[in-house]
Amino acid sequence: MNNNCTRFAPSPTGYLHLGHAASALIAANWAKANSADFVLRIEDIDQTRCRPEFETAIYDDLHWLGLNWQQPVRRQSEHLLDYQLALSELQKQGLLYRCFLTRREVMAEINQAPHGIIDVYSGPSKHLSATQEAELLEQEKPFAWRLSLSKAKEVLGKLWHDLEWLETGSGQSGLIKAEPEVLGDVILARKDISTSYHLSVTHDDALQNITHIIRGNDLFESTHTHVLLQVLLGLPTPIYHHHALITDEQGKRLAKRDGAKSLRELRENGISAEQVRDMVRL
Ligand code: GLU
């Protein structure tokens, strides 16, 4: 019996482009070659950015590429309670703290950090007293829940040094030591949404028994955090394969904001699914 399973997990915040096609095709081809399951998950927790027409377009574009997936499709927006339960499990272990800071204040704290890490928040320089926190809550000041890496270190003790994952991707490969400091004290529940990408993706990969995660190299750094969350939540760590990113003629990573062509635009311009499959063969 083969219980291997991989997935494609797009967010319906825009139309799929060649980078998405690469991830989806690499995952689906891997599944086929290994008699594994291939599931599709719609990562739509941010309802302010997700739109139903983008979700419909995901199904259309993937079918056009010749892909099929297991049913039912999991839509994260329908499972917010699951993520809240995972969050409270971490909360019970004393691993979370409320962060009332605005983005600007977070940047200011980062810039003051003695080690000069530029874009990673490594926890508050001063914790709020219980009274200060109660006052802010009283004023209904919005807050995010962040994962405290210092607490996680305390809770895991020696295990902290054993955090690792098996990587089969095109860049670094082999056993990789997970260093959650790479992303710092990440947000696990946003001010506006009771979860975050890191929490819901880790939860769902385990729930859906994903054994092999195949995704772009842009998410390599997030894996450091995901492995930590898996251990804290008692979940298995899958095998990861981070593939190279599709770049434009200048070698620049494709991004929607830079006008990367969507699959449907390519299709409207007469490009065939076969040609797209060739374009993303990494
Ligand atoms: N939903 C994420 C995205 O569209 C991908 C999540 C993942 O593959 O881990 O970027």
Side-chain angles (χ1 to χ4, degrees), residues 7 9-11 20 41 43 197 201 205 213-215 219 226:
R7 47 67 161 186
S11 298
H20 296 111
R41 183 167 71 230
E43 302 214 320
Y197 160 65
V201 83
D205 283 332
I213 294 185
I214 297 169
R215 60 185 181 192
L219 290 168
H226 298 175

Side-chain angles (χ1 to χ4, degrees), residues 30-62:
W30 180 87
K32 207 182 216 169
N34 293 279
S35 315
D37 291 335
F38 173 61
V39 302
L40 173 65
R41 183 167 71 230
I42 301 293
E43 302 214 320
D44 59 349
I45 52 170
D46 188 344
Q47 287 289 311
T48 60
R49 293 177 59 227
C50 294
R51 298 222 306 254
E53 61 267 37
F54 293 139
E55 184 178 331
T56 310
I58 289 173
Y59 304 132
D60 290 349
D61 292 346
L62 294 180

